[in-house]
Short mmCIF file of all heavy atoms in Angstrom, two decimals:
data_model
loop_
_atom_site.label_atom_id
_atom_site.label_comp_id
_atom_site.label_asym_id
_atom_site.label_seq_id
_atom_site.Cartn_x
_atom_site.Cartn_y
_atom_site.Cartn_z
N MET A 991 -10.00 -101.59 -15.26
CA MET A 991 -10.75 -101.11 -16.40
C MET A 991 -10.25 -101.83 -17.66
O MET A 991 -9.06 -101.93 -17.89
CB MET A 991 -10.57 -99.59 -16.53
CG MET A 991 -11.48 -98.99 -17.58
SD MET A 991 -11.52 -97.18 -17.47
CE MET A 991 -10.30 -96.75 -18.68
N LYS A 992 -11.19 -102.29 -18.46
CA LYS A 992 -10.83 -102.99 -19.69
C LYS A 992 -10.32 -102.00 -20.72
O LYS A 992 -10.94 -100.98 -20.98
CB LYS A 992 -12.05 -103.73 -20.22
CG LYS A 992 -11.74 -104.62 -21.41
CD LYS A 992 -12.96 -105.44 -21.81
CE LYS A 992 -12.61 -106.33 -22.98
NZ LYS A 992 -13.76 -107.14 -23.39
N LYS A 993 -9.19 -102.32 -21.30
CA LYS A 993 -8.60 -101.43 -22.29
C LYS A 993 -9.32 -101.60 -23.61
O LYS A 993 -9.64 -102.70 -24.04
CB LYS A 993 -7.11 -101.76 -22.44
CG LYS A 993 -6.37 -100.81 -23.35
CD LYS A 993 -4.87 -100.91 -23.11
CE LYS A 993 -4.06 -100.10 -24.08
NZ LYS A 993 -4.46 -98.72 -24.21
N TYR A 994 -9.57 -100.45 -24.26
CA TYR A 994 -10.22 -100.45 -25.56
C TYR A 994 -9.32 -101.13 -26.58
O TYR A 994 -8.13 -100.86 -26.66
CB TYR A 994 -10.49 -99.01 -25.98
CG TYR A 994 -11.04 -98.85 -27.37
CD1 TYR A 994 -12.39 -99.02 -27.63
CD2 TYR A 994 -10.20 -98.55 -28.44
CE1 TYR A 994 -12.90 -98.88 -28.90
CE2 TYR A 994 -10.70 -98.41 -29.72
CZ TYR A 994 -12.05 -98.58 -29.95
OH TYR A 994 -12.54 -98.44 -31.21
N LYS A 995 -9.86 -102.07 -27.33
CA LYS A 995 -9.10 -102.78 -28.35
C LYS A 995 -9.83 -102.61 -29.68
O LYS A 995 -11.02 -102.91 -29.79
CB LYS A 995 -9.01 -104.25 -27.97
CG LYS A 995 -8.30 -105.11 -28.98
CD LYS A 995 -6.84 -105.25 -28.65
CE LYS A 995 -6.19 -106.32 -29.52
NZ LYS A 995 -5.22 -105.77 -30.43
N CYS A 996 -9.13 -102.11 -30.68
CA CYS A 996 -9.77 -101.91 -31.98
C CYS A 996 -9.15 -102.84 -33.02
O CYS A 996 -8.28 -103.65 -32.72
CB CYS A 996 -9.69 -100.45 -32.41
SG CYS A 996 -8.05 -99.89 -32.86
N ASN A 997 -9.60 -102.69 -34.25
CA ASN A 997 -9.19 -103.59 -35.32
C ASN A 997 -7.88 -103.18 -36.00
O ASN A 997 -7.49 -103.81 -36.98
CB ASN A 997 -10.29 -103.66 -36.38
CG ASN A 997 -11.56 -104.25 -35.83
OD1 ASN A 997 -11.50 -105.13 -34.97
ND2 ASN A 997 -12.70 -103.78 -36.28
N CYS A 998 -7.23 -102.14 -35.52
CA CYS A 998 -6.00 -101.68 -36.17
C CYS A 998 -4.82 -102.58 -35.80
O CYS A 998 -4.59 -102.86 -34.64
CB CYS A 998 -5.69 -100.26 -35.73
SG CYS A 998 -6.81 -99.05 -36.43
N GLU A 999 -4.12 -103.01 -36.82
CA GLU A 999 -2.88 -103.75 -36.59
C GLU A 999 -1.80 -103.12 -37.45
O GLU A 999 -1.99 -102.93 -38.66
CB GLU A 999 -3.05 -105.23 -36.96
CG GLU A 999 -3.98 -105.95 -36.01
CD GLU A 999 -4.04 -107.44 -36.29
OE1 GLU A 999 -3.10 -107.97 -36.91
OE2 GLU A 999 -5.03 -108.05 -35.91
N ASN A 1000 -0.71 -102.78 -36.85
CA ASN A 1000 0.42 -102.15 -37.54
C ASN A 1000 0.03 -100.84 -38.24
O ASN A 1000 0.51 -100.56 -39.34
CB ASN A 1000 1.04 -103.12 -38.56
CG ASN A 1000 1.55 -104.39 -37.89
OD1 ASN A 1000 2.16 -104.34 -36.83
ND2 ASN A 1000 1.27 -105.53 -38.49
N ILE A 1001 -0.86 -100.08 -37.61
CA ILE A 1001 -1.22 -98.77 -38.12
C ILE A 1001 -0.51 -97.74 -37.25
O ILE A 1001 -0.81 -97.61 -36.07
CB ILE A 1001 -2.75 -98.52 -38.06
CG1 ILE A 1001 -3.53 -99.63 -38.76
CG2 ILE A 1001 -3.08 -97.14 -38.63
CD1 ILE A 1001 -3.37 -99.67 -40.26
N PRO A 1002 0.46 -97.02 -37.81
CA PRO A 1002 1.21 -96.06 -36.99
C PRO A 1002 0.33 -94.88 -36.57
O PRO A 1002 -0.60 -94.50 -37.29
CB PRO A 1002 2.34 -95.57 -37.91
CG PRO A 1002 2.27 -96.39 -39.16
CD PRO A 1002 0.95 -97.09 -39.19
N ILE A 1003 0.66 -94.29 -35.43
CA ILE A 1003 -0.01 -93.07 -34.98
C ILE A 1003 0.25 -91.98 -36.01
O ILE A 1003 1.38 -91.80 -36.47
CB ILE A 1003 0.53 -92.64 -33.60
CG1 ILE A 1003 0.18 -93.69 -32.54
CG2 ILE A 1003 -0.04 -91.27 -33.20
CD1 ILE A 1003 -1.29 -93.93 -32.33
N GLY A 1004 -0.79 -91.26 -36.40
CA GLY A 1004 -0.66 -90.21 -37.41
C GLY A 1004 -0.95 -90.70 -38.81
O GLY A 1004 -1.04 -89.91 -39.74
N SER A 1005 -1.11 -92.00 -38.96
CA SER A 1005 -1.41 -92.58 -40.28
C SER A 1005 -2.90 -92.43 -40.58
O SER A 1005 -3.74 -92.42 -39.68
CB SER A 1005 -1.04 -94.06 -40.29
OG SER A 1005 -1.58 -94.69 -41.42
N TYR A 1006 -3.22 -92.33 -41.86
CA TYR A 1006 -4.63 -92.28 -42.28
C TYR A 1006 -5.06 -93.62 -42.88
O TYR A 1006 -6.10 -93.70 -43.53
CB TYR A 1006 -4.85 -91.13 -43.27
CG TYR A 1006 -4.63 -89.78 -42.63
CD1 TYR A 1006 -3.43 -89.08 -42.83
CD2 TYR A 1006 -5.59 -89.23 -41.80
CE1 TYR A 1006 -3.22 -87.86 -42.22
CE2 TYR A 1006 -5.40 -88.00 -41.20
CZ TYR A 1006 -4.21 -87.32 -41.42
OH TYR A 1006 -4.00 -86.10 -40.81
N ASP A 1007 -4.27 -94.65 -42.65
CA ASP A 1007 -4.67 -95.98 -43.09
C ASP A 1007 -5.85 -96.44 -42.22
O ASP A 1007 -6.05 -95.95 -41.12
CB ASP A 1007 -3.51 -96.97 -42.93
CG ASP A 1007 -2.37 -96.69 -43.89
OD1 ASP A 1007 -2.59 -95.93 -44.86
OD2 ASP A 1007 -1.27 -97.23 -43.68
N ASN A 1008 -6.59 -97.39 -42.73
CA ASN A 1008 -7.74 -97.96 -42.02
C ASN A 1008 -8.83 -96.92 -41.75
O ASN A 1008 -9.49 -96.96 -40.73
CB ASN A 1008 -7.31 -98.64 -40.71
CG ASN A 1008 -8.34 -99.63 -40.23
OD1 ASN A 1008 -9.14 -100.15 -41.01
ND2 ASN A 1008 -8.36 -99.90 -38.93
N GLN A 1009 -9.00 -95.98 -42.69
CA GLN A 1009 -10.09 -95.01 -42.57
C GLN A 1009 -11.19 -95.34 -43.58
O GLN A 1009 -10.95 -96.00 -44.58
CB GLN A 1009 -9.59 -93.58 -42.84
CG GLN A 1009 -8.78 -93.02 -41.69
CD GLN A 1009 -8.69 -91.52 -41.75
OE1 GLN A 1009 -8.76 -90.92 -42.82
NE2 GLN A 1009 -8.53 -90.90 -40.61
N VAL A 1010 -12.36 -94.85 -43.30
CA VAL A 1010 -13.48 -94.94 -44.23
C VAL A 1010 -14.02 -93.53 -44.45
O VAL A 1010 -13.99 -92.70 -43.54
CB VAL A 1010 -14.60 -95.86 -43.71
CG1 VAL A 1010 -14.13 -97.30 -43.67
CG2 VAL A 1010 -15.11 -95.42 -42.36
N ALA A 1011 -14.51 -93.26 -45.66
CA ALA A 1011 -15.10 -91.96 -45.98
C ALA A 1011 -16.60 -92.05 -45.78
O ALA A 1011 -17.28 -92.83 -46.45
CB ALA A 1011 -14.76 -91.57 -47.41
N LEU A 1012 -17.11 -91.27 -44.82
CA LEU A 1012 -18.55 -91.27 -44.53
C LEU A 1012 -19.21 -90.08 -45.21
O LEU A 1012 -18.58 -89.03 -45.40
CB LEU A 1012 -18.78 -91.17 -43.01
CG LEU A 1012 -18.15 -92.25 -42.14
CD1 LEU A 1012 -18.45 -91.95 -40.67
CD2 LEU A 1012 -18.66 -93.62 -42.54
N GLN A 1013 -20.48 -90.24 -45.55
CA GLN A 1013 -21.28 -89.11 -46.02
C GLN A 1013 -21.33 -88.09 -44.89
O GLN A 1013 -21.71 -88.42 -43.77
CB GLN A 1013 -22.69 -89.60 -46.36
CG GLN A 1013 -23.63 -88.50 -46.83
CD GLN A 1013 -23.28 -88.02 -48.23
OE1 GLN A 1013 -23.03 -88.82 -49.11
NE2 GLN A 1013 -23.25 -86.72 -48.41
N ALA A 1014 -20.89 -86.87 -45.17
CA ALA A 1014 -20.81 -85.85 -44.12
C ALA A 1014 -22.20 -85.42 -43.68
O ALA A 1014 -23.14 -85.39 -44.48
CB ALA A 1014 -20.03 -84.65 -44.63
N PRO A 1015 -22.34 -85.06 -42.40
CA PRO A 1015 -23.63 -84.55 -41.92
C PRO A 1015 -23.95 -83.18 -42.52
O PRO A 1015 -23.06 -82.50 -43.04
CB PRO A 1015 -23.43 -84.48 -40.40
CG PRO A 1015 -21.97 -84.45 -40.19
CD PRO A 1015 -21.34 -85.15 -41.35
N ILE A 1016 -25.18 -82.77 -42.42
CA ILE A 1016 -25.67 -81.57 -43.08
C ILE A 1016 -24.94 -80.31 -42.62
O ILE A 1016 -24.75 -79.37 -43.40
CB ILE A 1016 -27.21 -81.43 -42.87
CG1 ILE A 1016 -27.78 -80.36 -43.77
CG2 ILE A 1016 -27.54 -81.15 -41.43
CD1 ILE A 1016 -28.16 -80.85 -45.12
N TRP A 1017 -24.48 -80.26 -41.37
CA TRP A 1017 -23.82 -79.06 -40.84
C TRP A 1017 -22.40 -78.89 -41.36
O TRP A 1017 -21.81 -77.82 -41.24
CB TRP A 1017 -23.81 -79.07 -39.31
CG TRP A 1017 -23.33 -80.36 -38.68
CD1 TRP A 1017 -24.11 -81.35 -38.17
CD2 TRP A 1017 -21.97 -80.79 -38.49
NE1 TRP A 1017 -23.32 -82.38 -37.70
CE2 TRP A 1017 -22.01 -82.06 -37.87
CE3 TRP A 1017 -20.72 -80.23 -38.79
CZ2 TRP A 1017 -20.85 -82.77 -37.55
CZ3 TRP A 1017 -19.57 -80.95 -38.47
CH2 TRP A 1017 -19.65 -82.20 -37.85
N SER A 1018 -21.86 -79.95 -41.97
CA SER A 1018 -20.48 -79.87 -42.45
C SER A 1018 -20.41 -79.15 -43.79
O SER A 1018 -21.35 -79.16 -44.57
CB SER A 1018 -19.94 -81.29 -42.59
OG SER A 1018 -18.66 -81.26 -43.21
N GLN A 1019 -19.27 -78.53 -44.05
CA GLN A 1019 -19.02 -77.89 -45.34
C GLN A 1019 -18.54 -78.91 -46.37
O GLN A 1019 -18.39 -78.57 -47.54
CB GLN A 1019 -17.95 -76.79 -45.19
CG GLN A 1019 -18.27 -75.74 -44.16
CD GLN A 1019 -19.45 -74.87 -44.58
OE1 GLN A 1019 -19.60 -74.54 -45.74
NE2 GLN A 1019 -20.30 -74.53 -43.62
N LYS A 1020 -18.28 -80.12 -45.91
CA LYS A 1020 -17.72 -81.15 -46.78
C LYS A 1020 -18.81 -82.11 -47.26
O LYS A 1020 -19.87 -82.20 -46.66
CB LYS A 1020 -16.65 -81.95 -46.02
CG LYS A 1020 -15.51 -81.11 -45.49
CD LYS A 1020 -14.57 -81.96 -44.67
CE LYS A 1020 -13.42 -81.13 -44.10
NZ LYS A 1020 -12.56 -81.91 -43.21
N ASN A 1021 -18.49 -82.83 -48.34
CA ASN A 1021 -19.39 -83.88 -48.81
C ASN A 1021 -19.13 -85.19 -48.07
O ASN A 1021 -20.05 -85.92 -47.75
CB ASN A 1021 -19.21 -84.13 -50.31
CG ASN A 1021 -19.71 -82.96 -51.14
OD1 ASN A 1021 -20.67 -82.30 -50.75
ND2 ASN A 1021 -19.06 -82.70 -52.25
N ARG A 1022 -17.84 -85.45 -47.81
CA ARG A 1022 -17.47 -86.68 -47.13
C ARG A 1022 -16.43 -86.36 -46.06
O ARG A 1022 -15.64 -85.43 -46.22
CB ARG A 1022 -16.91 -87.71 -48.12
CG ARG A 1022 -17.97 -88.16 -49.14
CD ARG A 1022 -17.44 -89.12 -50.14
NE ARG A 1022 -17.73 -90.54 -50.00
CZ ARG A 1022 -18.88 -91.11 -49.64
NH1 ARG A 1022 -19.88 -90.39 -49.24
NH2 ARG A 1022 -19.03 -92.40 -49.63
N ILE A 1023 -16.44 -87.16 -45.01
CA ILE A 1023 -15.46 -87.01 -43.93
C ILE A 1023 -14.88 -88.39 -43.67
O ILE A 1023 -15.62 -89.37 -43.49
CB ILE A 1023 -16.12 -86.45 -42.65
CG1 ILE A 1023 -16.64 -85.04 -42.90
CG2 ILE A 1023 -15.13 -86.48 -41.48
CD1 ILE A 1023 -17.37 -84.42 -41.72
N SER A 1024 -13.56 -88.47 -43.66
CA SER A 1024 -12.89 -89.74 -43.39
C SER A 1024 -12.62 -89.88 -41.89
O SER A 1024 -12.15 -88.95 -41.25
CB SER A 1024 -11.56 -89.81 -44.16
OG SER A 1024 -11.81 -89.86 -45.54
N VAL A 1025 -12.95 -91.04 -41.37
CA VAL A 1025 -12.72 -91.34 -39.96
C VAL A 1025 -12.11 -92.72 -39.85
O VAL A 1025 -12.22 -93.54 -40.77
CB VAL A 1025 -14.04 -91.28 -39.13
CG1 VAL A 1025 -14.70 -89.91 -39.26
CG2 VAL A 1025 -15.00 -92.36 -39.56
N ASP A 1026 -11.48 -92.99 -38.72
CA ASP A 1026 -10.95 -94.34 -38.49
C ASP A 1026 -12.12 -95.34 -38.54
O ASP A 1026 -13.15 -95.12 -37.91
CB ASP A 1026 -10.26 -94.43 -37.13
CG ASP A 1026 -8.95 -93.66 -37.10
OD1 ASP A 1026 -8.36 -93.45 -38.18
OD2 ASP A 1026 -8.52 -93.27 -36.00
N SER A 1027 -11.94 -96.40 -39.31
CA SER A 1027 -13.05 -97.35 -39.49
C SER A 1027 -13.53 -97.92 -38.17
O SER A 1027 -14.72 -98.20 -38.01
CB SER A 1027 -12.63 -98.47 -40.44
OG SER A 1027 -11.57 -99.22 -39.89
N CYS A 1028 -12.62 -98.06 -37.20
CA CYS A 1028 -13.00 -98.60 -35.89
C CYS A 1028 -14.02 -97.72 -35.18
O CYS A 1028 -14.82 -98.21 -34.38
CB CYS A 1028 -11.78 -98.72 -34.99
SG CYS A 1028 -10.38 -99.51 -35.77
N LEU A 1029 -13.99 -96.42 -35.45
CA LEU A 1029 -14.87 -95.49 -34.77
C LEU A 1029 -16.09 -95.10 -35.60
O LEU A 1029 -16.96 -94.38 -35.11
CB LEU A 1029 -14.10 -94.20 -34.40
CG LEU A 1029 -12.99 -94.33 -33.39
CD1 LEU A 1029 -12.36 -92.97 -33.11
CD2 LEU A 1029 -13.50 -94.93 -32.08
N SER A 1030 -16.18 -95.58 -36.83
CA SER A 1030 -17.26 -95.10 -37.70
C SER A 1030 -18.66 -95.35 -37.13
O SER A 1030 -19.51 -94.46 -37.25
CB SER A 1030 -17.12 -95.65 -39.11
OG SER A 1030 -17.24 -97.04 -39.13
N PRO A 1031 -18.96 -96.48 -36.48
CA PRO A 1031 -20.31 -96.63 -35.92
C PRO A 1031 -20.61 -95.58 -34.85
O PRO A 1031 -21.70 -95.01 -34.83
CB PRO A 1031 -20.31 -98.05 -35.31
CG PRO A 1031 -19.21 -98.76 -36.03
CD PRO A 1031 -18.16 -97.71 -36.31
N GLU A 1032 -19.63 -95.31 -33.98
CA GLU A 1032 -19.85 -94.32 -32.91
C GLU A 1032 -19.98 -92.91 -33.48
O GLU A 1032 -20.83 -92.14 -33.04
CB GLU A 1032 -18.69 -94.37 -31.90
CG GLU A 1032 -18.69 -95.59 -31.00
CD GLU A 1032 -18.06 -96.82 -31.65
OE1 GLU A 1032 -17.64 -96.74 -32.82
OE2 GLU A 1032 -17.99 -97.86 -30.98
N ILE A 1033 -19.14 -92.58 -34.46
CA ILE A 1033 -19.20 -91.24 -35.06
C ILE A 1033 -20.53 -91.04 -35.78
O ILE A 1033 -21.17 -90.00 -35.65
CB ILE A 1033 -18.01 -91.02 -36.01
CG1 ILE A 1033 -16.68 -91.07 -35.25
CG2 ILE A 1033 -18.15 -89.70 -36.77
CD1 ILE A 1033 -16.53 -90.04 -34.15
N ARG A 1034 -20.97 -92.04 -36.52
CA ARG A 1034 -22.26 -91.94 -37.22
C ARG A 1034 -23.39 -91.78 -36.21
O ARG A 1034 -24.34 -91.03 -36.46
CB ARG A 1034 -22.48 -93.15 -38.10
CG ARG A 1034 -21.52 -93.17 -39.29
CD ARG A 1034 -21.58 -94.45 -40.07
NE ARG A 1034 -22.83 -94.53 -40.80
CZ ARG A 1034 -23.08 -95.44 -41.74
NH1 ARG A 1034 -22.14 -96.30 -42.06
NH2 ARG A 1034 -24.22 -95.47 -42.35
N TYR A 1035 -23.30 -92.47 -35.09
CA TYR A 1035 -24.34 -92.34 -34.06
C TYR A 1035 -24.33 -90.92 -33.46
O TYR A 1035 -25.39 -90.32 -33.28
CB TYR A 1035 -24.12 -93.38 -32.95
CG TYR A 1035 -25.14 -93.28 -31.86
CD1 TYR A 1035 -26.45 -93.69 -32.07
CD2 TYR A 1035 -24.79 -92.78 -30.61
CE1 TYR A 1035 -27.40 -93.58 -31.07
CE2 TYR A 1035 -25.72 -92.67 -29.61
CZ TYR A 1035 -27.03 -93.08 -29.83
OH TYR A 1035 -27.96 -92.95 -28.84
N LEU A 1036 -23.14 -90.38 -33.19
CA LEU A 1036 -23.05 -89.01 -32.66
C LEU A 1036 -23.67 -88.03 -33.65
O LEU A 1036 -24.43 -87.14 -33.25
CB LEU A 1036 -21.59 -88.64 -32.39
CG LEU A 1036 -20.92 -89.32 -31.20
CD1 LEU A 1036 -19.42 -89.03 -31.18
CD2 LEU A 1036 -21.57 -88.89 -29.89
N TRP A 1037 -23.36 -88.17 -34.93
CA TRP A 1037 -23.93 -87.28 -35.95
C TRP A 1037 -25.45 -87.43 -35.99
O TRP A 1037 -26.16 -86.44 -36.12
CB TRP A 1037 -23.33 -87.59 -37.32
CG TRP A 1037 -21.88 -87.23 -37.46
CD1 TRP A 1037 -21.12 -86.47 -36.60
CD2 TRP A 1037 -21.01 -87.60 -38.53
NE1 TRP A 1037 -19.83 -86.37 -37.08
CE2 TRP A 1037 -19.74 -87.04 -38.26
CE3 TRP A 1037 -21.18 -88.36 -39.67
CZ2 TRP A 1037 -18.65 -87.22 -39.11
CZ3 TRP A 1037 -20.09 -88.53 -40.53
CH2 TRP A 1037 -18.85 -87.96 -40.24
N LEU A 1038 -25.93 -88.65 -35.89
CA LEU A 1038 -27.37 -88.90 -35.90
C LEU A 1038 -28.05 -88.19 -34.73
O LEU A 1038 -29.18 -87.72 -34.84
CB LEU A 1038 -27.62 -90.42 -35.81
CG LEU A 1038 -29.01 -90.93 -36.14
CD1 LEU A 1038 -29.35 -90.65 -37.60
CD2 LEU A 1038 -29.10 -92.42 -35.86
N CYS A 1039 -27.34 -88.10 -33.61
CA CYS A 1039 -27.86 -87.42 -32.43
C CYS A 1039 -27.67 -85.90 -32.50
O CYS A 1039 -28.04 -85.19 -31.57
CB CYS A 1039 -27.17 -87.94 -31.17
SG CYS A 1039 -27.53 -89.66 -30.81
N GLY A 1040 -27.08 -85.41 -33.59
CA GLY A 1040 -26.90 -83.97 -33.75
C GLY A 1040 -25.61 -83.43 -33.17
O GLY A 1040 -25.42 -82.22 -33.12
N VAL A 1041 -24.73 -84.31 -32.72
CA VAL A 1041 -23.45 -83.88 -32.16
C VAL A 1041 -22.50 -83.51 -33.28
O VAL A 1041 -22.37 -84.27 -34.25
CB VAL A 1041 -22.84 -84.98 -31.28
CG1 VAL A 1041 -21.46 -84.58 -30.77
CG2 VAL A 1041 -23.76 -85.32 -30.13
N ARG A 1042 -21.87 -82.36 -33.16
CA ARG A 1042 -20.87 -81.94 -34.15
C ARG A 1042 -19.49 -82.33 -33.66
O ARG A 1042 -19.08 -81.93 -32.57
CB ARG A 1042 -20.94 -80.42 -34.36
CG ARG A 1042 -22.27 -80.00 -34.95
CD ARG A 1042 -22.29 -78.52 -35.22
NE ARG A 1042 -23.59 -78.12 -35.75
CZ ARG A 1042 -23.77 -77.07 -36.54
NH1 ARG A 1042 -22.76 -76.30 -36.87
NH2 ARG A 1042 -24.97 -76.77 -36.96
N THR A 1043 -18.79 -83.08 -34.46
CA THR A 1043 -17.45 -83.54 -34.07
C THR A 1043 -16.40 -82.72 -34.80
O THR A 1043 -16.65 -82.14 -35.85
CB THR A 1043 -17.28 -85.03 -34.43
OG1 THR A 1043 -17.53 -85.21 -35.82
CG2 THR A 1043 -18.25 -85.90 -33.63
N THR A 1044 -15.23 -82.66 -34.21
CA THR A 1044 -14.13 -81.90 -34.80
C THR A 1044 -13.00 -82.80 -35.26
O THR A 1044 -12.12 -82.36 -35.99
CB THR A 1044 -13.56 -80.88 -33.80
OG1 THR A 1044 -13.11 -81.59 -32.65
CG2 THR A 1044 -14.62 -79.87 -33.39
N GLY A 1045 -13.01 -84.04 -34.86
CA GLY A 1045 -11.97 -84.98 -35.24
C GLY A 1045 -11.99 -86.17 -34.31
O GLY A 1045 -12.61 -86.11 -33.25
N CYS A 1046 -11.35 -87.24 -34.73
CA CYS A 1046 -11.32 -88.41 -33.86
C CYS A 1046 -10.13 -89.29 -34.25
O CYS A 1046 -9.58 -89.16 -35.33
CB CYS A 1046 -12.61 -89.21 -33.96
SG CYS A 1046 -12.91 -89.95 -35.57
N CYS A 1047 -9.75 -90.15 -33.32
CA CYS A 1047 -8.72 -91.15 -33.59
C CYS A 1047 -8.98 -92.34 -32.69
O CYS A 1047 -9.26 -92.18 -31.51
CB CYS A 1047 -7.32 -90.59 -33.32
SG CYS A 1047 -6.00 -91.79 -33.63
N CYS A 1048 -8.94 -93.52 -33.27
CA CYS A 1048 -9.18 -94.73 -32.48
C CYS A 1048 -7.99 -95.07 -31.60
O CYS A 1048 -8.10 -95.89 -30.69
CB CYS A 1048 -9.53 -95.91 -33.38
SG CYS A 1048 -8.18 -96.44 -34.45
N GLY A 1049 -6.83 -94.45 -31.87
CA GLY A 1049 -5.63 -94.72 -31.09
C GLY A 1049 -4.80 -95.87 -31.64
O GLY A 1049 -3.69 -96.11 -31.17
N HIS A 1050 -5.35 -96.57 -32.62
CA HIS A 1050 -4.62 -97.65 -33.30
C HIS A 1050 -3.99 -98.65 -32.32
O HIS A 1050 -2.88 -99.12 -32.54
CB HIS A 1050 -3.56 -97.08 -34.25
CG HIS A 1050 -4.10 -96.04 -35.19
ND1 HIS A 1050 -5.15 -96.27 -36.04
CD2 HIS A 1050 -3.73 -94.75 -35.39
CE1 HIS A 1050 -5.40 -95.17 -36.74
NE2 HIS A 1050 -4.56 -94.23 -36.36
N ASN A 1051 -4.65 -98.90 -31.22
CA ASN A 1051 -4.18 -99.84 -30.19
C ASN A 1051 -2.88 -99.38 -29.53
O ASN A 1051 -2.20 -100.18 -28.90
CB ASN A 1051 -4.01 -101.26 -30.76
CG ASN A 1051 -5.34 -101.92 -31.04
OD1 ASN A 1051 -6.26 -101.81 -30.24
ND2 ASN A 1051 -5.44 -102.59 -32.17
N GLN A 1052 -2.57 -98.09 -29.66
CA GLN A 1052 -1.36 -97.57 -29.02
C GLN A 1052 -1.67 -96.43 -28.07
O GLN A 1052 -0.97 -96.23 -27.09
CB GLN A 1052 -0.39 -97.08 -30.10
CG GLN A 1052 0.07 -98.21 -31.04
CD GLN A 1052 0.74 -97.68 -32.28
OE1 GLN A 1052 1.80 -97.07 -32.20
NE2 GLN A 1052 0.11 -97.88 -33.44
N LEU A 1053 -2.72 -95.68 -28.37
CA LEU A 1053 -3.14 -94.56 -27.52
C LEU A 1053 -4.62 -94.72 -27.20
O LEU A 1053 -5.32 -95.49 -27.85
CB LEU A 1053 -2.92 -93.22 -28.24
CG LEU A 1053 -1.48 -92.87 -28.64
CD1 LEU A 1053 -1.47 -91.59 -29.47
CD2 LEU A 1053 -0.61 -92.73 -27.41
N GLU A 1054 -5.09 -93.98 -26.20
CA GLU A 1054 -6.52 -93.98 -25.90
C GLU A 1054 -7.28 -93.34 -27.06
O GLU A 1054 -6.80 -92.37 -27.65
CB GLU A 1054 -6.79 -93.18 -24.61
CG GLU A 1054 -6.25 -93.85 -23.37
CD GLU A 1054 -6.99 -95.14 -23.05
OE1 GLU A 1054 -8.23 -95.16 -23.10
OE2 GLU A 1054 -6.30 -96.14 -22.76
N PRO A 1055 -8.45 -93.87 -27.41
CA PRO A 1055 -9.25 -93.25 -28.47
C PRO A 1055 -9.80 -91.90 -28.03
O PRO A 1055 -10.05 -91.68 -26.83
CB PRO A 1055 -10.40 -94.25 -28.68
CG PRO A 1055 -10.46 -95.05 -27.43
CD PRO A 1055 -9.08 -95.06 -26.85
N ILE A 1056 -9.94 -90.98 -28.99
CA ILE A 1056 -10.50 -89.66 -28.68
C ILE A 1056 -11.52 -89.27 -29.75
O ILE A 1056 -11.43 -89.69 -30.90
CB ILE A 1056 -9.41 -88.56 -28.64
CG1 ILE A 1056 -8.66 -88.47 -29.96
CG2 ILE A 1056 -8.44 -88.79 -27.49
CD1 ILE A 1056 -7.86 -87.20 -30.13
N SER A 1057 -12.49 -88.46 -29.34
CA SER A 1057 -13.42 -87.82 -30.26
C SER A 1057 -13.54 -86.37 -29.83
O SER A 1057 -13.85 -86.10 -28.67
CB SER A 1057 -14.81 -88.48 -30.20
OG SER A 1057 -14.74 -89.78 -30.72
N GLY A 1058 -13.26 -85.45 -30.74
CA GLY A 1058 -13.41 -84.03 -30.45
C GLY A 1058 -14.84 -83.61 -30.71
O GLY A 1058 -15.41 -83.90 -31.75
N LEU A 1059 -15.45 -82.95 -29.72
CA LEU A 1059 -16.83 -82.51 -29.85
C LEU A 1059 -16.89 -80.99 -29.83
O LEU A 1059 -16.26 -80.35 -29.00
CB LEU A 1059 -17.68 -83.07 -28.70
CG LEU A 1059 -17.58 -84.59 -28.50
CD1 LEU A 1059 -18.42 -85.00 -27.30
CD2 LEU A 1059 -18.01 -85.34 -29.74
N ASN A 1060 -17.65 -80.42 -30.76
CA ASN A 1060 -17.79 -78.98 -30.84
C ASN A 1060 -18.85 -78.53 -29.83
O ASN A 1060 -19.99 -78.95 -29.89
CB ASN A 1060 -18.21 -78.59 -32.26
CG ASN A 1060 -18.14 -77.10 -32.45
OD1 ASN A 1060 -18.16 -76.33 -31.50
ND2 ASN A 1060 -18.08 -76.68 -33.70
N GLN A 1061 -18.45 -77.67 -28.90
CA GLN A 1061 -19.38 -77.22 -27.87
C GLN A 1061 -20.15 -75.98 -28.28
O GLN A 1061 -20.98 -75.48 -27.54
CB GLN A 1061 -18.63 -76.95 -26.56
CG GLN A 1061 -17.99 -78.22 -26.02
CD GLN A 1061 -17.27 -78.00 -24.71
OE1 GLN A 1061 -17.27 -76.92 -24.16
NE2 GLN A 1061 -16.68 -79.05 -24.19
N ASN A 1062 -19.84 -75.42 -29.45
CA ASN A 1062 -20.54 -74.23 -29.93
C ASN A 1062 -21.13 -74.50 -31.31
O ASN A 1062 -20.67 -73.99 -32.31
CB ASN A 1062 -19.57 -73.04 -30.01
CG ASN A 1062 -19.01 -72.70 -28.66
OD1 ASN A 1062 -19.76 -72.44 -27.72
ND2 ASN A 1062 -17.70 -72.72 -28.54
N PRO A 1063 -22.18 -75.32 -31.35
CA PRO A 1063 -22.74 -75.70 -32.65
C PRO A 1063 -23.39 -74.50 -33.35
O PRO A 1063 -23.75 -73.56 -32.74
CB PRO A 1063 -23.79 -76.75 -32.31
CG PRO A 1063 -24.13 -76.53 -30.88
CD PRO A 1063 -22.91 -75.93 -30.24
ZN1 LIG B 108 -8.45 -98.62 -34.74
#
């Protein structure tokens, strides 16, 4: 299996570096939500499809990427 490789270099786990602030979807209480820039296309697509996310991390080339999905919209 090909390992996921993102654009993060020297970004420690737990760091909020390399994030972008996206316009939050209508269901959110926030105006903007910051996500790892590597995942922003996928997160925006999930929101476009009506999926509610709870958080995400690209893994910064050290861990597997994750996206938390809310099962009770
Ligand atoms: Zn990344």
Side-chain angles (χ1 to χ4, degrees):
M991 188 167 95
K992 186 174 181 180
K993 186 162 174 52
Y994 174 83
K995 178 93 170 114
C996 71
N997 297 326
C998 289
E999 292 186 22
N1000 300 317
I1001 306 291
I1003 296 298
S1005 167
Y1006 295 101
D1007 292 345
N1008 201 24
Q1009 286 199 333
V1010 292
L1012 303 178
Q1013 179 72 45
I1016 191 87
W1017 49 261
S1018 173
Q1019 304 292 322
K1020 301 176 181 176
N1021 291 327
R1022 295 178 102 41
I1023 296 177
S1024 293
V1025 302
D1026 289 337
S1027 63
C1028 312
L1029 294 182
S1030 64
E1032 287 83 358
I1033 297 300
R1034 291 172 70 169
Y1035 179 72
L1036 289 171
W1037 291 348
L1038 195 64
C1039 294
V1041 176
R1042 296 183 182 207
T1043 56
T1044 59
C1046 65
C1047 180
C1048 66
H1050 309 304
N1051 288 318
Q1052 298 166 65
L1053 300 174
E1054 291 293 314
I1056 58 164
S1057 292
L1059 308 178
N1060 190 339
Q1061 298 181 2
N1062 298 303

